[in-house]
């Protein structure tokens, strides 16, 4: 990586890594809460919905949070989700995510919080890096980029941030993988951080490794630079 690219990433990370980022980003929803469990639940479900048109993401995530009310944690424990998201209803709640899908997510969360105090504690029974632990919990593949899950993990683990929460202190932010979306992939390819612009776990890891040259203790800080440059249309 050239010094010009390093300096560009450093400058853009400083520009885009700020509180103003929250207003138009799905991370605004977990920022409604202060209790750790509420932030975990809101963050996970919001991240899972974070694909497609941004306006539609925010609109439907708001519907979900209106259902969960003042405390997603109490909503999970109350089992009201069984009525709101029946297991037998396979019609869409948001795009290809059905009511039954959300029933499954809430069921996993209910089981986790029935046994453990926090989702962080529940995930620590599994082996591997944070992404692998979360994939095991959700029973999804850890061989794909899992952009949405890596974004959630960034929210929970990165500390000293106006955007991310850093409430999972038993995890290391150096173990995070960059959430690989269209903007990040395109800009990373433009900067020659990756050889192809394909959406793969290999590319997500390669981008993270490249960003670690610039942000050795916090590679996902570079996510803000790549994403911001892509969204702004600068690149």
């Amino acid at each position: 990586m050239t010094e010009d690219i390093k300096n560009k990433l450093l400058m853009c990370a400083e520009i885009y890594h700020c509180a103003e980022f929250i207003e138009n980003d799905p991370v605004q929803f977990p920022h409604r809460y202060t209790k750790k469990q509420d932030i975990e639940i809101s963050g996970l479900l919001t991240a899972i919905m974070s694909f497609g048109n941004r306006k539609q993401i925010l609109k439907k995530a708001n519907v979900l949070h209106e259902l969960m009310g003042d405390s997603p944690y109490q909503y999970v424990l109350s089992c009201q989700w069984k009525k709101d998201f029946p297991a037998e209803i396979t019609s869409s709640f948001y795009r290809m995510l059905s009511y039954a899908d959300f029933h499954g997510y809430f069921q996993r969360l209910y089981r986790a919080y029935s046994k453990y105090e926090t989702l962080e504690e529940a995930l620590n029974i599994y082996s591997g890096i944070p992404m692998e632990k979360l994939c095991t919990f959700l029973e999804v593949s850890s061989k794909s980029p899992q952009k949405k899950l890596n974004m959630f993990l960034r929210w929970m683990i990165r500390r000293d941030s106006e955007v991310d929460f850093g409430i999972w202190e038993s995890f290391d932010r150096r173990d995070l993988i960059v959430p690989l979306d269209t903007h990040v992939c395109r800009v990373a390819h433009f900067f020659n951080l990756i050889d192809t612009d394909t959406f793969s776990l290999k590319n997500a890891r390669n981008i993270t490794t490249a960003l670690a040259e610039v942000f050795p203790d916090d590679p996902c800080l570079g996510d803000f630079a790549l994403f911001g440059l892509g969204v702004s249309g600068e690149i």
Side-chain angles (χ1 to χ4, degrees):
M1 187 187 306
T2 68
E3 286 301 314
D4 284 345
I5 292 175
K6 288 182 180 180
N7 291 333
K8 180 74 170 180
L9 292 173
L10 286 165
M11 179 184 70
C12 291
E14 185 173 350
I15 292 170
Y16 295 112
H17 184 236
C18 60
E20 286 76 13
F21 183 91
I22 298 169
E23 183 178 356
N24 297 309
D25 191 81
V27 76
Q28 67 184 265
F29 291 99
H31 271 283
R32 294 179 177 182
Y33 308 102
T34 57
K35 188 180 180 70
K36 182 173 182 175
Q37 293 89 339
D38 290 331
I39 294 169
E40 290 177 331
I41 295 166
S42 171
L44 179 61
L45 297 178
T46 299
I48 286 171
M49 296 176 66
S50 294
F51 61 97
N53 179 275
R54 177 159 293 212
K55 288 184 178 179
Q56 292 302 312
I57 295 169
L58 300 181
K59 180 179 178 180
K60 203 63 179 185
N62 192 60
V63 172
L64 174 65
H65 283 78
E66 286 178 350
L67 288 171
M68 293 194 294
D70 294 336
S71 174
Y73 180 54
Q74 291 303 319
Y75 178 82
V76 167
L77 296 182
S78 73
C79 290
Q80 175 62 34
W81 48 271
K82 292 183 180 180
K83 295 181 179 179
D84 294 335
F85 298 93
E88 67 275 9
I89 303 299
T90 57
S91 58
S92 170
F93 176 73
Y94 175 67
R95 300 192 71 180
M96 73 278 293
L97 294 174
S98 68
Y99 284 81
D101 289 329
F102 275 89
H103 182 98
Y105 297 136
F106 280 116
Q107 189 172 59
R108 282 186 172 85
L109 288 166
Y110 177 80
R111 289 171 178 167
Y113 287 112
S114 295
K115 189 173 182 180
Y116 301 97
E117 184 176 351
T118 65
L119 183 57
E120 176 184 15
E121 185 181 346
L123 292 186
N124 268 322
I125 69 170
Y126 304 114
S127 61
I129 62 172
M131 174 187 168
E132 292 166 342
K133 292 174 183 284
L134 184 56
C135 286
T136 302
F137 172 73
L138 293 173
E139 297 182 21
V140 298
S141 173
S142 61
K143 303 299 183 183
S144 64
Q146 296 294 359
K147 172 255 180 180
K148 296 172 287 185
L149 302 188
N150 281 316
M151 183 174 69
F152 166 69
L153 290 168
R154 195 201 79 202
W155 292 349
M156 296 299 104
I157 296 171
R158 282 197 68 253
R159 292 181 286 281
D160 305 319
S161 170
E162 293 180 276
V163 181
D164 301 323
F165 296 89
I167 56 175
W168 285 6
E169 297 182 358
S170 62
F171 293 85
D172 193 325
R173 62 190 181 183
R174 288 172 295 185
D175 292 329
L176 292 169
I177 297 174
V178 167
L180 189 63
D181 69 2
T182 302
H183 303 294
V184 170
C185 193
R186 177 171 56 83
V187 177
H189 187 241
F190 177 84
F191 283 144
N192 294 316
L193 305 187
I194 48 178
D195 296 327
T196 68
D197 59 357
T198 55
F199 289 86
S200 66
L201 178 59
K202 179 181 178 181
N203 268 349
R205 288 184 178 278
N206 285 342
I207 293 169
T208 306
T209 299
L211 291 175
E213 294 182 33
V214 188
F215 312 98
D217 294 322
D218 186 13
C220 278
L221 175 56
D223 180 34
F224 291 89
L226 298 178
F227 182 80
L229 284 167
V231 170
S232 69
E234 186 175 340
I235 292 177

